[in-house]
Amino acid sequence: MGNPAPEPESPGLAPAPRASLPSSVTLLLGLAAGVVVLAGLAFASELFGPLALAAVIVIICHPLRGPLERWGWPRWAATTAVIAVAWAVLLAMALLLAFAGIEFSKLVVAYAEKLYSTTDEVIAWLATFGLDQQASSALSSIMTPSALLGFATSIGSSTLSVITALFFIFAYVIFMSADASRYRRATTQFGSSARPAMARFAHFNDSVRRYYVVNAVFGLVVAVVDGLALWAMGVPGALVWAILAFVTNFVPNIGFVLGLVPPALLALVVGGWPLMLGVIAVYCVANVVLQVLIQPKFVSDAVNLSLTLSFFSVLFWTFVIGPLGAILSIPLTLLVRALVLERDPNARWIRWLSGDTSVSERGAPLPPPST
């Protein structure tokens, strides 16, 4: 007996289409998953922050490997060189922050009496404008030595926490530097299927490096200009404020204000209103010209992020992982865009809204605006 003939398919019947979720439900599920991930990052910020910092340091130092291997260095020696440079960068950062925090505390202690008298004078001056007692109390709580010492203590505690985490950061640097040497072989082992992902992360790494190089160059120029100007004007602790100007330059948009307030308040205590206004004028001329007019152009070319998203990134990542998020805000935002948006061809419009104008160059032309 032969096998029974298969039953003919009924004409006009087509396979049932696969059920798909509505776009609104997909969006809500994506947002819910994002909230869960961010809550986990906030809960584990003490682990995630050092990990992200180590990754950024390795990304910055990794290009050193290429020239060393071309000069005939073995792979293990090139990896060791990358680790040594990364450790040197980390130690330099920790020493700068520790020195600035200690010197700032000394300045507050040395000028404690003048701080009290200046606070009383400012409160009396505000009273002439009819400000209520609450406004005066708020100003008093800001300008008292205890408040400034609390600020210095917070800097010191942050520095201490960073130093405490240096062991883990050093370990992360070792492992990441070793792993980075084999990632470039992904296209050889997996073929063309790995090229899109490797291209996205190569673009991300290049953007992170250019961002920090641009900020370091402009931060160094700003620190030298501010430090020399404060020294010439007789403001105490000019080196401390120069270090603060360099560090706060890595905080987008609001770093200028963070670096201006402490030396301006000290200038008010030491030399009164004329010296304070002079410090503000110097910072506005030097920092605004460099950080507001010139630097954003280079940063925009490096990372392709809109000014609004850059500013929001500082607040958002600081809220999620703490003060370290202000310095790592741009790389973390670029990482999210690389993971979520750049792999989806339908998200080109959202990428353009985020500031990535290169999508119109690499892909099809953007649709014309409706009239």
Side-chain angles (χ1 to χ4, degrees), residues 127-320:
T128 60
F129 293 93
L131 295 180
D132 56 8
Q133 185 63 30
Q134 292 181 349
S136 299
S137 300
L139 180 63
S140 177
S141 64
I142 295 174
M143 294 187 62
T144 55
S146 59
L148 294 177
L149 277 175
F151 175 72
T153 303
S154 65
I155 296 178
S157 63
S158 299
T159 304
L160 183 60
S161 64
V162 170
I163 294 176
T164 304
L166 278 180
F167 172 78
F168 298 100
I169 298 177
F170 285 166
Y172 291 148
V173 167
I174 294 175
F175 302 143
M176 291 179 181
S177 299
D179 288 336
S181 64
R182 66 183 182 88
Y183 287 157
R184 59 183 178 179
R185 302 196 300 270
T187 54
T188 303
Q189 298 186 6
F190 295 95
S192 59
S193 61
R195 287 174 185 161
M198 296 304 297
R200 287 198 307 271
F201 282 100
H203 176 68
F204 165 75
N205 294 341
D206 185 57
S207 298
V208 170
R209 280 191 289 267
R210 284 185 294 165
Y211 169 74
Y212 279 106
V213 168
V214 168
N215 276 273
V217 171
F218 278 92
L220 183 60
V221 174
V222 168
V224 171
V225 172
D226 291 344
L228 291 177
L230 294 175
W231 173 76
M233 298 171 67
V235 178
L239 181 58
V240 176
W241 312 130
I243 294 174
L244 182 63
F246 176 77
V247 174
T248 55
N249 190 69
F250 290 94
V251 180
N253 302 311
I254 62 175
F256 162 69
V257 178
L258 297 177
L260 168 63
V261 172
L265 290 178
L266 186 60
L268 174 64
V269 172
V270 175
W273 292 102
L275 186 58
M276 178 182 180
L277 294 177
V279 170
I280 294 175
V282 168
Y283 269 69
C284 288
V285 171
N287 295 43
V288 170
V289 169
L290 290 172
Q291 294 179 308
V292 178
L293 299 181
I294 301 178
Q295 182 177 344
K297 170 61 179 174
F298 291 89
V299 172
S300 176
D301 293 341
V303 301
N304 279 330
L305 282 181
S306 65
L307 294 177
T308 302
L309 184 58
S310 299
F311 177 73
F312 176 75
S313 298
V314 176
L315 304 179
F316 178 79
W317 289 111
T318 302
F319 172 77
V320 173

